[in-house]
Amino acid sequence: MIIKPEITGVVARSAHPLGCEQAIIKQIEYVKNAIPIKNGPKRVLIIGASSGFGLAARIALTFGGAKADTIGISFERAQNEKNVGSAGFYNNLYFQKHAQSEGRIAVNIDGDAFSSRIKAEAIEAIETYFEGEVDLIIYSVASGVRPKPDTGEMWRSAIKPIDQSVFGASISLEDDQWQETTLPPASDAEIEGTLKVMGGEDWELWVDALINSESIGEGCKTIAFSYMGSDITHPIYLDGTLGRAKIDLHQTSHSLNLKLANFNGGAYATVCKALVTKASVFIPGLSPYLIALYKVMKANGTHEGCIEQMQRLFTTKLYGGGTDHGDKDNLTKVPVDGERLIRIDDLELDAATQQQVHTLVKTMNRDNFQDIGDYCGFKNAFLQLNGFGFEEVDYHAPVDLEQIVTPVIVP
Ligand code: NAI
């Protein structure tokens, strides 16, 4: 079959397997030529491994110097008679193919990370493939829903401001239209739902389950990703429902840090840069900021994608800090800010960059956003997340999906 991009609003309805492989290959090439990760972890569990930051972290740790083996959890759609399958589904297949070809263990577990069943499956896989222990746990789930245990009902996240209405624009990737909306303040139930889905509770449940099953290795660390942004995005993000959930995540990092101290390890919330991912294009008001940010950071030579962010995180922060002289075990010190957060959003928040972004966003409107912002780069990044827009791929050639799905070797 011939596979074309299909987009509804900001949701991709199709994915091109061969383009997904290209995206993986390009990320592998990047980390192979970047500063290598030294003293990195060898056995890594990534929850939310099939796209965005989780996938980039998996690629960086496997191919960027650490030579880590990985178990990746994700919730993706396989191909069937009606659908070609989601990009994350193909990302998992191709990541596994390339990792295995270099002798690495790469186990994919597909299912709901919030469930006890998938936690048990992960523990079993750690037992089978990692001799029972992990050195790093990355929590990178971005979801709109979380099932309530036992009842079958759902908590739902709502991306809304708190205690105020916020006016902002979104950009429909389906027809390149600028859409202005006023978001009303979230209800208490919406604040609570977002906290349950995107806060720290499930991260803590994972780490607790791994502690209880004695799956935590000596020096094991855990990270989860956060976003803070600048005063342009604060009304919809940091001061809104998502920000409330992220603050909960930051607090969770402190309690997990105490628990992992028993293993000479640590837990950190890691604040990343705003990027186009499957999840971020959903955030109302963020798109104009993103296209302004991409324009400015590309012009200044400071733009990074998920892969650059992750390689820098591991080489300069999580496994690249100075030695903690006060520590008898000579543990590596992780550089953090005053709130004990790892910051790799420094280039985004650079004062001069923000000043330029401010100026652009102020003058941006429905008529000029394609000219004054990097809308082309934004849209291309979205297409590439779904395997489209790679010059190496012949998009006119038919794809035999069955042939693509079969060659996977299970380690
Ligand atoms: P993404 O949408 O690219 O990836 C999300 C991952 O979660 C995928 O692997 C997906 O399969 C998995 N997932 C979703 N629901 C699941 C479930 N029920 N069970 C198992 N796996 C599930 O998202 P992205 O953007 O990489 O986000 C990851 C984290 O990074 C989130 O916490 C997000 O808030 C944070 N972050 C994102 C930023 C951005 O600009 N994209 C900036 C800073 C932080």
Side-chain angles (χ1 to χ4, degrees):
M1 70 191 293
I2 308 263
I3 306 174
K4 293 197 175 122
E6 285 168 34
I7 305 171
T8 312
V10 293
V11 181
R13 301 282 176 207
S14 66
H16 200 290
L18 303 180
C20 291
E21 181 172 28
Q22 273 309 311
I24 303 263
I25 291 171
K26 284 183 189 298
Q27 293 183 73
I28 293 173
E29 275 169 9
Y30 171 78
V31 297
K32 282 190 169 176
N33 292 304
I35 297 169
I37 303 164
K38 295 208 180 97
N39 308 315
K42 292 292 176 200
R43 303 163 299 180
V44 183
L45 172 67
I46 300 147
I47 307 147
S50 59
S51 61
F53 285 110
L55 174 62
R58 194 177 194 190
I59 293 172
L61 290 163
T62 304
F63 299 97
K67 295 191 174 168
D69 294 327
T70 57
I71 297 171
I73 317 285
S74 59
F75 208 8
E76 295 296 342
R77 201 179 58 239
Q79 42 101 250
N80 58 33
E81 307 82 54
K82 287 191 194 146
N83 275 306
V84 290
S86 59
F89 172 76
Y90 295 110
N91 290 341
N92 284 339
L93 290 186
Y94 285 114
F95 171 81
Q96 189 177 51
K97 175 183 135 184
H98 286 274
Q100 287 178 346
S101 74
E102 297 210 4
R104 301 270 63 83
I105 294 173
V107 179
N108 294 326
I109 298 177
D110 192 8
D112 185 4
F114 294 116
S115 69
S116 320
R117 183 177 66 81
I118 291 297
K119 291 183 176 78
E121 266 188 47
I123 288 165
E124 211 177 295
I126 291 167
E127 205 51 59
T128 310
Y129 299 105
F130 290 176
E131 294 176 348
E133 286 182 351
V134 283
D135 307 316
L136 174 66
I137 305 151
I138 300 177
Y139 191 86
S140 186
V141 172
S143 176
V145 293
R146 171 181 169 191
K148 296 184 184 177
D150 311 324
T151 68
E153 287 170 54
M154 294 281 181
W155 283 297
R156 289 181 192 282
S157 66
I159 307 169
K160 284 192 173 172
I162 294 178
D163 291 338
Q164 58 171 342
S165 295
V166 166
F167 174 79
S170 296
I171 302 171
S172 164
L173 289 149
E174 182 181 352
D175 51 10
D176 308 321
Q177 290 300 309
W178 174 273
Q179 296 168 341
E180 291 176 353
T181 36
T182 300
L183 286 169
S187 65
D188 288 346
E190 287 172 326
I191 297 171
E192 167 75 4
T194 313
L195 201 104
K196 284 286 183 187
V197 180
M198 290 299 288
E201 192 173 72
D202 189 54
W203 182 24
E204 185 146 24
L205 287 173
W206 269 95
V207 175
D208 285 346
L210 293 164
I211 291 173
N212 292 338
S213 60
E214 299 182 351
S215 312
I216 302 286
E218 174 69 15
C220 176
K221 291 175 182 161
T222 185
I223 54 170
F225 300 119
S226 182
Y227 181 66
M228 298 185 75
S230 71
D231 53 358
I232 304 175
T233 59
H234 284 172
I236 185 59
Y237 201 105
L238 194 61
D239 300 339
T241 49
L242 273 176
R244 201 59 78 82
K246 291 302 183 192
I247 287 161
D248 182 66
L249 191 86
H250 301 173
Q251 282 161 355
T252 304
S253 77
H254 304 317
S255 69
L256 292 182
N257 197 46
L258 290 175
K259 292 180 186 180
L260 290 189
N262 296 324
F263 304 87
N264 291 320
Y268 305 90
T270 300
V271 187
C272 300
K273 168 185 191 256
L275 277 167
V276 178
T277 65
K278 196 172 74 179
S280 67
V281 290
F282 264 99
I283 303 172
L286 194 69
S287 300
Y289 174 76
L290 273 171
I291 64 175
L293 186 72
Y294 273 37
K295 178 90 177 186
V296 171
M297 293 187 81
K298 283 181 185 176
N300 294 345
T302 55
H303 178 72
E304 293 176 310
C306 288
I307 195 68
E308 288 86 356
Q309 283 261 290
M310 291 299 102
Q311 188 74 6
R312 187 155 72 90
L313 165 68
F314 297 125
T315 49
T316 66
K317 307 282 184 183
L318 208 61
Y319 300 103
T323 303
D324 188 346
H325 298 295
D327 194 318
K328 63 180 176 3
D329 293 319
N330 205 22
L331 287 176
T332 301
K333 190 173 181 181
V334 176
V336 289
D337 72 3
E339 293 173 48
R340 227 185 53 79
L341 300 167
I342 298 178
R343 304 300 297 257
I344 46 165
D345 58 346
D346 48 348
L347 300 176
E348 171 179 350
L349 295 188
D350 167 72
T353 297
Q354 282 301 319
Q355 183 59 49
Q356 290 172 282
V357 173
H358 256 273
T359 310
L360 265 186
V361 168
K362 253 194 222 154
T363 50
M364 198 179 282
N365 59 43
R366 66 170 70 246
D367 300 319
N368 67 10
F369 76 95
Q370 302 213 29
D371 303 321
I372 69 168
D374 181 26
Y375 181 65
C376 195
F378 173 87
K379 178 131 188 196
N380 203 41
F382 180 79
L383 287 172
Q384 291 200 336
L385 287 177
N386 299 294
F388 298 102
F390 288 99
E391 58 187 28
E392 295 83 353
V393 177
D394 177 3
Y395 291 102
H396 302 293
V399 181
D400 179 352
L401 286 181
E402 273 183 28
Q403 191 259 328
I404 279 171
V405 175
T406 24
V408 174
I409 323 139
V410 177

